[in-house]
Amino acid sequence: MAKSEATCRHRESKSQSFLVSDDIEKILAKKKFQNFFDIAVVGFMGSRLVTIPEFGSTFLKENSLIYVETANYICTLRKKERDELNTKLQNAAANLNLVSIPYDKKHHYKYQKIGDGKR
C-alpha cells in the first residue's frame, strides 16, 4: 500500500487512540470524555474500570464495544483463582448493563453498551 493511500484511509476513518495514564476517576469526570468513546480495550490490570458505574453510564457512547482481558493468561494464578476473577469480571460487566457478545473468550470478553448503561 502506498503511503498516500494509507494516509487517505486513516483520514476517512477519523480514528483516534487514547492511552489512559492519569487517575481514571479524573478522566471519567471530564466533560470532554463523556459519551466520547466508541471502543474501549481494558487490560486485566485495569479491569477495575469495569466496576466503576461512570465507565458504563457516561464514558462510553451508546452501542460502543468494550473488550476486557480475561484472567486466563495470568500465569501466577491457579485455575480456581482465574475462574473466580473471570466470574467477577463478567458480573461487573453485567452490573453496568454491558451485553456480552459471542467472542473467542480465551483472551478477551467482548461487550456492547446498550442504552445509557444505567440500571
Side-chain angles (χ1 to χ4, degrees), residues 47 50-52 87-98:
S47 61
V50 183
T51 66
I52 301 172
T87 299
K88 285 181 181 179
L89 281 173
Q90 292 170 325
N91 290 339
N95 288 336
L96 293 181
N97 280 348
L98 300 178

Side-chain angles (χ1 to χ4, degrees), residues 73-113:
Y73 296 102
I74 309 299
C75 60
T76 57
L77 300 177
R78 293 187 170 94
K79 181 179 181 345
K80 181 180 176 184
E81 294 169 319
R82 286 193 299 269
D83 291 344
E84 289 171 357
L85 286 172
N86 284 334
T87 299
K88 285 181 181 179
L89 281 173
Q90 292 170 325
N91 290 339
N95 288 336
L96 293 181
N97 280 348
L98 300 178
V99 177
S100 181
I101 295 176
Y103 186 69
D104 177 11
K105 295 184 178 186
K106 291 181 182 177
H107 192 268
H108 280 81
Y109 294 119
K110 183 178 180 181
Y111 298 100
Q112 186 170 21
K113 177 186 173 182

